[in-house]
């Protein structure tokens, strides 16, 4: 199973990539975000959660990553 630090690092890297992605590359990052989201939920279910404040921070980063991947619609 992935440790908290490994999961945190993967999420951080993916969020950074999602902040600079454009077009097709964003579509390739979305499944990676989904995979990390599943890993995060598995970690929560494992009962190894020791730092609730860190988990809040990871949740915020995950939302930011998904927000970065959404398309910009300007009207």
């Amino acid at each position: 199973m992935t440790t908290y630090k490994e999961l945190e690092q993967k999420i951080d890297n993916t969020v950074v990539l999602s902040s600079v992605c454009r077009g097709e590359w964003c579509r390739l990052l979305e499944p990676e975000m989904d995979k990390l989201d599943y890993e995060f939920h598995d970690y929560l279910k494992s009962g190894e959660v020791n730092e609730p404040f860190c988990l809040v921070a990871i949740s915020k980063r995950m939302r930011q990553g998904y927000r970065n991947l959404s398309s910009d619609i300007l009207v």
Side-chain angles (χ1 to χ4, degrees), residues 13-74:
N13 291 343
T14 307
V15 169
V16 168
L17 287 174
S18 72
S19 69
V20 296
C21 74
R22 297 293 176 263
E24 187 66 30
W25 195 38
C26 281
R27 283 178 255 167
L28 295 173
L29 279 176
E30 193 168 356
E32 183 65 23
M33 286 296 296
D34 292 338
K35 181 180 131 192
L36 291 170
D37 192 35
Y38 291 130
E39 283 186 43
F40 179 60
H41 287 290
D42 286 344
Y43 179 77
L44 291 175
K45 291 178 193 174
S46 73
E48 296 180 24
V49 179
N50 297 324
E51 296 290 332
F53 294 114
C54 292
L55 297 178
V56 169
I58 283 187
S59 295
K60 286 181 181 179
R61 283 183 251 167
M62 291 292 294
R63 284 193 303 275
Q64 181 63 42
Y66 277 115
R67 231 180 278 124
N68 291 344
L69 294 175
S70 65
S71 58
D72 293 331
I73 300 174
L74 303 174

